[in-house]
Structures are given as C-alpha cells and as structure tokens.
Amino acid sequence: MKTQAYQTKIADLFAHYHVSASGLSKEEAARRLEASGPNALPAAKVDSYLKIFARQFASPLIYVLIAAGVIVLLMGEYIDASAVFIVLLFNAVVGAFQEGKAQNTLLALNKFTTTEATVIRSGRELIIPSEEVVLGDIVLLRDGDKVPADVRLFETTNLRINESALTGESTPVLKNEETLAGDDLPPAEQVNLAFKGTLIIAGTGRGLVVGTGLETAVGRISAKLGSLEADVPLKANIKAISRVIIIGVVFINLFLFVVGLLYGNSFIDMFKTVVAVSVALIPEGLPVVITLVLAAGVWRMGKRQALVKRLQAVEALGQAKVIAVDKTGTITKNELMVQSLFTNGQSFDITGDGYSPDGEIRLAGQVLDPPAHPELVLAGRIATFCASAHVAYSPETELWQVAGDPTEAALLVFGQKTGFHREALVAENPSVGEIPFTSDLKYHSTLHRLADGRHFFTQVGAPEIIINRAKYIFRDGERHKITASDKKDLHQQMKAMSARGLRVLAFGYHDEAGPTLTEDDLPELTLVGLFGMSDVIRQEAKEALHRARAAGIKVVMITGDHADTARAIAAEVGLFRPGDEIITGADLETWDDATLDQKLSQTSVFARVTPEHKLRIIDAYRRRKEIIAMTGDGVNDALSLVAADLGVAMGRVGTEVAKEAADIILLDDNFGSIVSAVEEGRNIYQTIKKVVLYLFSTSIAEVLVIIGAILLGWPLPLAASQIIWLNVITDSFLVVALAVDPKDGTLLAKPFVKPNRWFFDSLMIVRTVVMTTVMTVGSLLAFWYYLPDALVPTAGQLAYASTIVLSVLVFYQWMNIWNCRSEDRSIFKMKIWENKYLLFAAILVIGLQLAAIYLPPFQTFLRTVPLSIFDWLLVILISLSIIIVEEIRKLFARKLNT
C-alpha cells in the first residue's frame, strides 16, 4: 500500500489508515508515534578520533613492520626500532587527521529532512516537529515549506515542488491529486505524491502521510548507504603488494637462514641477518611516503578549489576511465534562462549566465539595442509583468538566489536584459488583476492600469493554449489577423526549439482590456511570440570535456530528465556525438546485465533514471574493470556517490547529503576542476611508481648482495645494523624528497594505463631487473676486490670490505634516485634545481654516510672504518655504472617511441 500509494484512490487510503478528514486524534497520533518511532532517519554513529587513529594501522604491511620493529627492539637496536615506529606513527597521525574531517552521511540526511509540519488533528491545525508526523496524518503544504514526509495529495492549488535534489530534474514539478496507473513509476513521475525533504516553491496542498522515516523515498536511500563500500584502487593495490611482500619475506628468509647455516654462519649472525633482510625487503618508507604524496596532492587540489575528504581518493581519480556526470548542477547550473526568442518572424539569441541580469540579445550574431526594437521592448514588458518571482545576489555564497518559480525568475531576468525592472514597471503600471498559473489553466495572466487609463492585459503559458486563444499576431509594430500559415510557422519554431532541449512558452497581450480580469471572460489576445528557456550550461563544461577526452577518459551523463532534453543538453556541450546511444530508465527495467554491458561502449547519455538505476550503471562499468568517478549534487546522487570508485560533489549547489557521501567536493562547482584533479591523481600515481621502483630496486639489490655472497661462500658483506641504516636512514630522506618531484606536463596528453593489482607494469619490472643487477654485481665486485682472502678474512679486512659495500650501496641509492625521476628522460636534460629537496636530501645522505665512516660513535654502532681518497674514487666510479646503464636503456626507449 505504501509503495503504491500513487495507484490507490484517496478514499481507499483514508480507510486503510483509519483516518477521517478531521485528522487523527491526539491520542491516536501518540500511539502511532510510539509504535512506529519518530519520522526521522537513524542517528549515525560517529567514530572517535582514537578509533580513526587505530584504523590507520589496519594494513598487512603495517603489521609486518610492527613485528619487525618489535624484533629489532628485542635485539637491543633501540635507535633502529625507534626509527621504524616513528615512521608508522607519522603515517597514522596524518591519515587520522585527514579522515577525521569527514562527517557521517546519515547525519547530513537528518539535516536535510529536519523541519516543522502543519497537520490536522481532531479538526484543528497544529504545527509540530516533523519527527512527530505519523502514518495517516493529514498535512497542509504551503509555499516555502519543506515536505515533512511522503504525502499522497488529495487537494492541490497550483502546487509546484522543487524535487531536483531527489530526482535530478531541474524543472519544478506541478502536482495534482489524480490517481495514477502503471507499476513501479519512478518518483519523478509520481505527480500525486510529495516527497520528504523536497521544497514547495508555489501553491498549496493537502495530503495524507503514507511514508515516514526509513519508509520514505529519501529514507530508502539512507538505508542503502550503510551497505555500500567502494575500495579505492590504491588501497587495493597496497593490499595486493603487501601480500606479495609478506610471502616473499617468508620464503627469502627461510632460504637465507638455511643456506647461511649450511655455509657455516652462526645461528646468531643469521638470525640478525634475517631480521635485517626483513627490514630491507619491507619498504618501511612506503606508507609514510604514500601519505606524504597524497597529502601534497590534497594541498595542491585545495588550491584548485577541490576539497579532498580521503587521501587515497586523489590517486584513484587519476585512474578514472569513466566520469559519470549528473546533468543538473554539473553540466548545467540548475538555473533556468530564456535563451531563445521568436517574435516578428525572427529568431533572437539571448546570452547570459543563469539568473545574472548581464547578457545580450543578438540577431544573426549581431548585438542589438533592445529599446530600438519595439518587438523586444514588448516581449520584455510582458515577461516582466508575468514574473512574480524574486531574484537576488548573495555575496556570501556568490550565487543568485530565487524566491518563487524558476520559470518566472527566468522571465524576470529576460525583462531586465531588455531594460525593465519589475518594481519600477509595476509602480508606473499598477496591477489590478492576476490569474496565477495552474495545472488546469496552463497560463499566467495579469492586468495592469497604464498611465493613460487603459488596461494592459498580458498572458504567458503553454503554446497550445496561447496560440489557440490568439486572434491576432504582432508583426512589424502592428497587430494582424492570425492565419493558418502563421500558426504553421509557430509550430515549426516550437519543434525547432524543443529539438534544442528548450522549454517553450508562448506569450501575448491586449492593450485595451477591460478593468477586470476573470477566467471566464478573458480579453482578446494578440500573440507576440515564443520564449525558449533551458537550464544554463556551465561555461567551463565544454573545455573540461575536451580535456577529459584528450586524457583518454570517457564522460557520460546520467540524469533524471527526459531523453530529448538530455540529448539536447549533451549535444550542445559536446558530450553526445553522432553514433552515440541513449539508455533510459525504462530500458534498464527490461534489460539484463549482459545486454546493458553490451550497450555501454556506445552510450554517452542515461536519461530518466532513478537512484537504483544509477547504482546498476556504476556496477556495469565496474564489471568492465573500469574505474568510475561519479559527480552529483542531490540526495538522489548519494547512493551512486558512495558506490562509485570516486564520488565528487558540488560544493555550492550540492546538498549536504551529496557532500558527505562524496570523497571530493568541488568548492567552486567547476566541472573543469574534476579534470584538473584527474591530472593531479595521475601525478600522484606516477610519483608513487617512482617511489616503489626506487624502494624495491634498492631493497632487492641489498638482499641479492647478501644471497650472492652466501652462495659464493663469502662472509656476510653487510651487518644487520648496516642494512637497517641503509633502509631506515639513507633511504628515507631520498624517498621523501622524491615524493615532491615536480609534475610531468604531459600527464593529460595521453591515455592512462591502469596499473595491475601488484602495482608493477612491464617497464617497471624491466627497470627493476636492470637496476638490481647493476647494483648487485657492482657491490659484489667491490666486496671481492677488497677481500683478498675471502674465505678466512681477518676482522679488519671484513670491516674494511663491509664499509666499502655499504658506501657503494649508499652512492648507488644516491645515483639511482635521479634515474627514477623519469622513465625515458635523460637525467642530463633535467634541471638540477627542478627538485631542490632532492638535491638537499642527496647532500644530507652523503653527509650522513661520511659521519657513519669517520665519527667514532657511528663506527662502533655500524662497524665501519675510515676510507681513503682512492677508496672514494673507486666507490664513485662503481656507483656511476647505474646511471650509465639506465641512460643507455632510456636512449633505446626514446628511439623505440619515435
């Protein structure tokens, strides 16, 4: 009964809810409230900062690092253990701070729906909190009210409701009380229902409450939000690579431990080595560096008016293959504007930006002066008389705000563009009569007394009504008898306007009307022309779409509007092109998943869809393994914003629900900011790739040096403390500096290649093999050169050779960090000051290594000895091999790509 209330006769609903026209009694209402609970959404649980902080450690990689830190601590290596724990703590603090900013979506839904309600109880009007409204209550609805519950209407007077936040349709819905037929009609077509949380912009009505709390349309959306979760790609990749690292560490350590013992190494030495190798293999710098990279991206996006609620959301946006945009609020501004005028046999174009009064009137591309054209003056005058809305600019929000019907607001602004201001015009020509627009009449009429005593009658409304009433037509400054040919021309113009997605209104006048105005005795009408109005397209949308396509991103539009309107808007902005298809909600109701999947590649517009349809569309793209970002501004978008890989909400016109459901909020509502965010996301991904390549190539090289020495029957070339020094101290500074490397300017010039689940692509694997091979061979050669008696070296010889290997690996790291900055660009073509942090970090690393070799406390801790000038020249010469080999590889890579 509740879900199909639009199909049920009102008398049957009264009987079902056991209520009469005088409403429920106070006692019965209290009983129902106690039985069903308040008319509110469940209070959302807000996690404490402590819980958010603890959640930052919920990662397999973090678990292994904690275990390694504990083992190092038990070994008495307090400094090394402290370094590991400081890295983990910093990562958790930054992540918790960023996540703690976000509020719960359900709290926003409560805020959206909190209001007061006027109900009839025991024959009396009462104003009560909306939470106390119960099933069976009779509710009074008036201009400016928020609908307190889902209400089946049984009495309406020109009742128009703005449902854009719920359905996505920008045009106010004219409601009526007629019983409807048809099963499973979407909310946008249930015109005899008023939905909880929507706004009444005109008229009055009465209705019977048929849904409260979670049983309302907005409540059903909120109930689904809690069950939806989408893992961002980076999080999934980190999980995958963590599993690989853990498995690799276990097998390598077992191999090392067994082989080391077989080759005569002591149990204690091998245990320390295994722990050190674990630290070497586990990129303890990775979590903090990823956090820093993401935080830097968030900061840069903030400068571009994009507020990021989750750090990892930025990187995920860089991987987006599809951006699904909501028409209302994203492609368009949700501001109606008169864009076309047909009068005196000519078509005029009107420019402007929504409700702003700035704009021009053009004919064949030439700007006109309206006062010099009588037909424009007359059109502006009629539009102003028939506009009861008010438009005002808010400096706080930097938006034009409307009180009243958006259609009449558009007429008011058009009048301003022709030189009229309603207050002044009405003061000079007082109103003596008015017939407001209603669903039955389909027109708005006014009567004004002119200065010479005549009465000026105006009428604006549905073309089929106005044209049929017209006896004359305005042409060349005079009125002429309207002919069949005139009407044919008008219908052709209407068809052309409708094909452009414009809503068409006809208008006319009579300048010698009687002193009174009644529906039964209207003055004769002289038809002046046609207004064509539509939601204003955002100026930046076309450029943003072009940039998105250049970046290999497909943009699709999802809207609750009719297919013809959606097609016209999409075609105008350049989104819908020849050969594209449109899928409607009706199609989705009849198609199975296989059919939908087959149609996706040819589809650029989804029209007349419900929130449930949006979820199905998102699921279809995700079945194709395509990362999808969804934009939206209304309650109807909340589900899809949560379900998509990335949810992007409009900050200015968006509802609180949409903002809280989203991962990113565009503070300036600029669709172009999404594309800029994609660029930032790609930069973050590229930076993380650089970091991963560097960390893994150096870590694997260290392990291979140890394995190689053991297999050759040599002593261990590195002590456990030296391995930890390489990874925790020298690596950290270089990696952090690499994390803030300048952005590549070609990120949007080519399609993005989605990374595999282990984060490594084929090129990274090749580069890792090349780099680790060079570093391993070079280090082992240095060890062999400085250890003449490799089988039985003295303690002094081993310390000297180990110091050389440690220094070679440090300089390899220093050299390799420059290699990792680009996949194909030579380091000799990179400006050394492009990344001054990297230069400073390299100098710091060299300084630390000199301290490690020449300062007694470090010598004792790291088991190092001083080196000669010749030793340093040899270390530098060996480490330069990593640059030479990588430069050769880059040279071949550039030739292959040309």
Side-chain angles (χ1 to χ4, degrees):
M1 180 69 73
K2 297 173 186 176
T3 58
Q4 303 296 323
Y6 65 87
Q7 295 176 310
T8 310
K9 293 180 180 180
I10 194 64
D12 294 336
L13 285 170
F14 268 82
H16 175 77
Y17 288 107
H18 305 289
V19 64
S20 67
S22 60
L24 300 171
S25 66
K26 182 179 179 181
E27 293 74 20
E28 177 61 17
R31 188 191 66 77
R32 295 188 183 190
L33 182 62
E34 184 177 358
S36 61
N39 173 35
L41 302 176
K45 292 177 63 178
V46 180
D47 289 338
S48 66
Y49 279 99
L50 183 61
K51 186 173 182 180
I52 294 174
F53 177 77
R55 191 157 56 229
Q56 308 308 309
F57 295 93
S59 164
L61 191 60
I62 300 296
Y63 298 153
V64 176
L65 285 173
I66 293 174
V70 170
I71 294 174
V72 172
L73 183 64
L74 294 176
M75 291 173 59
E77 307 290 349
Y78 302 114
I79 295 176
D80 300 330
S82 298
V84 174
F85 290 129
I86 287 172
V87 166
L88 295 173
L89 183 64
F90 180 81
N91 178 65
V93 168
V94 173
F97 175 77
Q98 189 68 24
E99 187 178 336
K101 292 180 180 179
Q103 298 296 315
N104 193 281
T105 301
L106 293 179
L107 289 178
L109 283 162
N110 280 327
K111 181 177 180 180
F112 171 75
T113 55
T114 298
T115 184
E116 290 184 333
T118 304
V119 299
I120 302 293
R121 295 224 176 130
S122 299
R124 297 176 56 192
E125 287 190 20
L126 297 176
I127 298 178
I128 63 173
S130 63
E131 289 85 353
E132 296 180 11
V133 171
V134 297
L135 293 174
D137 258 329
I138 295 176
V139 176
L140 304 184
L141 304 174
R142 299 187 177 98
D143 183 5
D145 290 347
K146 266 189 177 181
V147 181
D150 281 5
V151 177
R152 169 65 160 88
L153 302 167
F154 59 81
E155 181 182 305
T156 61
T157 303
N158 190 32
L159 181 63
R160 279 178 282 181
I161 300 180
N162 183 346
E163 296 181 344
S164 60
L166 182 64
T167 65
E169 291 197 40
S170 55
T171 305
V173 180
L174 186 63
K175 296 293 185 175
N176 62 52
E177 61 271 19
E178 301 298 325
T179 303
L180 302 175
D183 295 328
D184 299 322
L185 293 182
E189 296 180 11
Q190 296 178 27
V191 293
N192 59 6
L193 276 169
F195 297 103
K196 181 178 176 68
T198 57
L199 181 64
I200 300 168
I201 62 171
T204 60
R206 290 181 180 232
L208 184 69
V209 173
V210 294
T212 61
L214 287 174
E215 295 303 315
T216 60
V218 69
R220 286 188 286 274
I221 292 175
S222 76
K224 293 181 180 179
L225 283 174
S227 62
L228 296 176
E229 183 178 357
D231 243 1
V232 293
L234 179 59
K235 187 176 179 181
N237 288 345
I238 293 298
K239 285 181 179 178
I241 202 170
S242 297
R243 287 192 291 269
V244 173
I245 291 172
I246 293 170
I247 294 172
V249 167
V250 171
F251 279 99
I252 289 173
N253 281 337
L254 285 174
F255 174 79
L256 268 179
F257 193 76
V258 173
V259 172
L261 291 177
L262 292 176
Y263 275 76
N265 293 284
S266 70
F267 181 90
I268 295 298
D269 284 343
M270 287 312 305
F271 181 77
K272 288 184 177 181
T273 300
V274 163
V275 172
V277 166
S278 298
V279 176
L281 281 174
I282 298 169
E284 51 278 288
L286 186 59
V288 68
V289 170
I290 288 178
T291 302
L292 288 173
V293 172
L294 295 175
V298 168
W299 178 75
R300 286 191 293 266
M301 285 185 63
K303 294 175 67 176
R304 296 188 178 193
Q305 298 297 303
L307 174 65
V308 179
K309 294 169 58 182
R310 288 198 299 161
L311 287 177
Q312 294 175 336
V314 188
E315 184 273 343
L317 188 55
Q319 297 190 39
K321 296 293 290 184
V322 179
I323 299 179
V325 297
D326 180 46
K327 178 187 76 68
T328 305
T330 305
I331 296 295
T332 65
K333 297 183 67 174
N334 200 14
E335 296 181 8
L336 283 178
M337 187 185 87
V338 175
Q339 300 186 34
S340 181
L341 168 67
F342 179 75
T343 184
N344 199 26
Q346 296 175 307
S347 292
F348 299 85
D349 294 319
I350 294 87
T351 67
D353 189 18
Y355 295 131
S356 170
D358 298 326
E360 299 171 336
I361 301 178
R362 297 176 179 177
L363 179 62
Q366 293 187 341
V367 179
L368 304 180
D369 181 22
H373 297 267
E375 65 274 24
L376 296 181
V377 173
L378 182 58
R381 195 180 191 191
I382 295 171
T384 304
F385 277 139
C386 285
S388 299
H390 298 278
V391 177
Y393 181 75
S394 170
E396 294 181 359
T397 62
E398 298 182 352
L399 296 173
W400 290 90
Q401 297 180 337
V402 173
D405 188 286
T407 300
E408 297 193 1
L411 294 175
L412 180 73
V413 172
F414 170 76
Q416 292 174 339
K417 292 175 182 177
T418 60
F420 290 102
H421 294 278
R422 180 171 170 78
E423 293 78 8
L425 185 62
V426 173
E428 295 176 2
N429 307 276
S431 174
V432 294
E434 181 176 11
I435 302 175
F437 182 93
T438 67
S439 58
D440 295 327
L441 297 176
K442 295 185 179 179
Y443 61 74
H444 182 184
S445 299
T446 68
L447 187 65
H448 293 263
R449 186 175 66 251
L450 304 181
D452 59 9
R454 290 180 299 131
H455 288 83
F456 189 77
F457 168 76
T458 67
Q459 193 169 63
V460 177
E464 64 272 18
I465 301 295
I466 305 300
I467 294 174
N468 289 338
R469 280 205 62 245
K471 294 184 178 181
Y472 303 94
I473 189 169
F474 181 83
R475 187 186 303 119
D476 299 327
E478 298 179 353
R479 70 176 190 176
H480 303 269
K481 278 282 188 181
I482 194 167
T483 65
S485 177
D486 292 329
K487 292 184 178 182
K488 182 178 179 181
D489 290 342
L490 289 167
H491 283 291
Q492 288 178 343
Q493 288 298 323
M494 288 168 53
K495 187 176 180 180
M497 286 183 175
S498 297
R500 292 169 53 192
L502 300 178
R503 179 188 175 198
V504 183
L505 296 177
F507 62 100
Y509 78 103
H510 188 87
D511 57 359
E512 293 184 356
T516 60
L517 183 62
T518 65
E519 296 178 16
D520 298 328
D521 187 21
L522 293 174
E524 291 182 341
L525 187 65
T526 298
L527 182 72
V528 179
L530 304 170
F531 290 124
M533 60 180 63
S534 178
D535 197 352
V536 180
I537 290 179
R538 292 187 174 276
Q539 296 178 355
E540 70 276 3
K542 292 183 181 180
E543 180 188 355
L545 283 168
H546 177 75
R547 292 176 63 201
R549 283 202 180 100
I553 300 171
K554 181 177 182 178
V555 181
V556 298
M557 187 170 79
I558 303 179
T559 178
D561 270 337
H562 291 279
D564 291 340
T565 302
R567 179 189 289 107
I569 295 293
E572 184 176 352
V573 80
L575 192 151
F576 184 86
R577 296 185 291 186
D580 287 356
E581 293 186 10
I582 294 179
I583 293 177
T584 66
D587 295 329
L588 293 172
E589 291 293 338
T590 57
W591 291 351
D592 58 17
D593 288 346
T595 305
L596 175 59
D597 293 350
Q598 184 181 0
K599 294 283 188 179
L600 281 184
S601 58
Q602 293 84 35
T603 302
S604 59
V605 176
F606 298 86
R608 212 61 177 163
V609 296
T610 65
E612 289 74 18
H613 292 151
K614 291 182 181 182
L615 287 180
R616 191 174 172 206
I617 293 167
I618 289 171
D619 288 341
Y621 279 111
R622 297 183 74 177
R623 281 196 298 273
R624 293 163 60 98
K625 307 300 182 183
E626 294 180 338
I627 303 299
I628 180 169
M630 172 74 191
T631 74
D633 66 334
V635 176
N636 64 310
D637 300 315
L639 288 176
S640 50
L641 289 173
V642 174
D645 296 291
L646 261 300
V648 183
M650 302 295 111
R652 288 186 175 181
V653 301
T655 62
E656 291 299 317
V657 180
K659 294 175 190 177
E660 296 303 333
D663 303 298
I664 297 174
I665 301 172
L666 301 183
L667 300 179
D668 58 355
D669 287 5
N670 189 336
F671 177 44
S673 297
I674 300 176
V675 183
S676 297
V678 169
E679 182 181 24
E680 192 59 58
R682 291 187 177 184
N683 177 59
I684 286 171
Y685 171 69
Q686 292 291 349
T687 303
I688 293 175
K689 278 182 65 178
K690 297 176 189 177
V691 169
V692 169
L693 173 65
Y694 171 77
L695 287 174
F696 276 82
S697 60
T698 55
S699 296
I700 293 173
E702 293 164 17
V703 174
L704 290 178
V705 168
I706 295 172
I707 293 175
I710 291 175
L711 293 178
L712 289 170
W714 298 349
L716 294 175
L718 292 170
S721 59
Q722 291 174 339
I723 296 174
I724 294 174
W725 172 266
L726 281 170
N727 285 271
V728 177
I729 305 301
T730 58
D731 260 1
S732 301
F733 294 107
L734 293 173
V735 167
V736 169
L738 185 61
V740 293
D741 211 36
K743 183 170 55 183
D744 184 354
T746 64
L747 289 171
L748 292 181
K750 52 190 176 182
F752 179 82
V753 179
K754 180 183 175 182
N756 62 34
R757 58 190 300 229
W758 292 286
F759 219 92
F760 275 82
D761 55 28
S762 58
L763 179 57
M764 284 183 66
I765 294 173
V766 170
R767 297 183 74 191
T768 301
V769 170
V770 170
M771 292 172 179
T772 54
T773 300
V774 171
M775 287 187 282
T776 301
V777 172
S779 299
L780 288 174
L781 284 175
F783 191 57
W784 169 79
Y785 180 79
Y786 277 88
L787 201 64
D789 191 1
L791 293 178
V792 190
T794 64
Q797 289 176 328
L798 183 58
Y800 204 95
S802 294
T803 303
I804 289 291
V805 173
L806 176 65
S807 299
V808 167
L809 284 171
V810 167
F811 271 72
Y812 266 141
Q813 291 176 341
W814 179 56
M815 301 286 186
N816 199 36
I817 201 78
W818 301 94
N819 284 334
C820 292
R821 292 186 63 200
S822 175
E823 294 178 347
D824 52 12
R825 204 169 122 198
S826 170
I827 65 171
F828 301 109
K829 291 187 178 181
M830 300 180 194
K831 296 178 182 178
I832 194 169
W833 285 101
E834 274 184 332
N835 187 344
K836 58 180 181 288
Y837 302 105
L838 187 56
L839 182 62
F840 294 150
I843 294 172
L844 178 60
V845 165
I846 294 174
L848 286 170
Q849 185 61 19
L850 292 175
I853 291 175
Y854 293 106
L855 295 182
F858 286 95
Q859 289 176 342
T860 302
F861 176 70
L862 294 173
R863 304 177 189 177
T864 57
V865 296
L867 301 180
S868 67
I869 295 295
F870 173 80
D871 295 331
W872 281 117
L873 289 175
L874 190 61
V875 165
I876 294 172
L877 183 63
I878 293 173
S879 59
L880 279 172
S881 62
I882 192 73
I883 289 181
I884 295 171
V885 173
E886 180 64 4
E887 283 296 308
I888 294 172
R889 187 205 63 78
K890 288 181 179 180
L891 178 63
F892 280 105
R894 289 193 296 271
K895 287 185 177 181
L896 288 174
N897 292 330
T898 56

